Amino acid sequence: MAEAAARPDAWEPVLSALEADLAASERLLGGPPVGGPPVGGPPVGGPPAGGHDAGRPARAGLPPAVVRWAPPPGLGPLPEPLAARARALEAAQRDLAARLAAARSNAAGHLAALRAVPSARQGAPVYLDVTG
């Protein structure tokens, strides 16, 4: 069976949707890393079919829940002119994944500290020693 021809017009919306998802995740963390490479252009089209959980409503200010992504059928191989863009996107996704893991760990530490504070009895004064 012959391999499908590279179709930049088919890949463009796919890369744009992935870049838009990356940008949304970056916003959740407070923006891209200082000195980080810019990624892509404005989003074109929407997420690939099956890329988001359409059955779950979006939460205020948050992107829809993301499910395992699979490329739309019939894309063909990645065109060479888009290879550098795809590599930059992959590197940015890896960096974001590492920063998300660090943010998760940091949040878990904060949550553990909050859980260590004893709960107050109703009507009793509450003091928290923040100096020692």
Side-chain angles (χ1 to χ4, degrees), residues 17-47:
L18 290 171
E19 290 163 342
D21 287 345
L22 179 70
S25 297
E26 290 284 1
R27 284 190 298 276
L28 290 175
L29 280 180
V34 175
V39 290
V44 177

Side-chain angles (χ1 to χ4, degrees), residues 2-8 11 74-77:
E3 190 172 306
R7 296 182 39 222
W11 275 94
L75 278 179

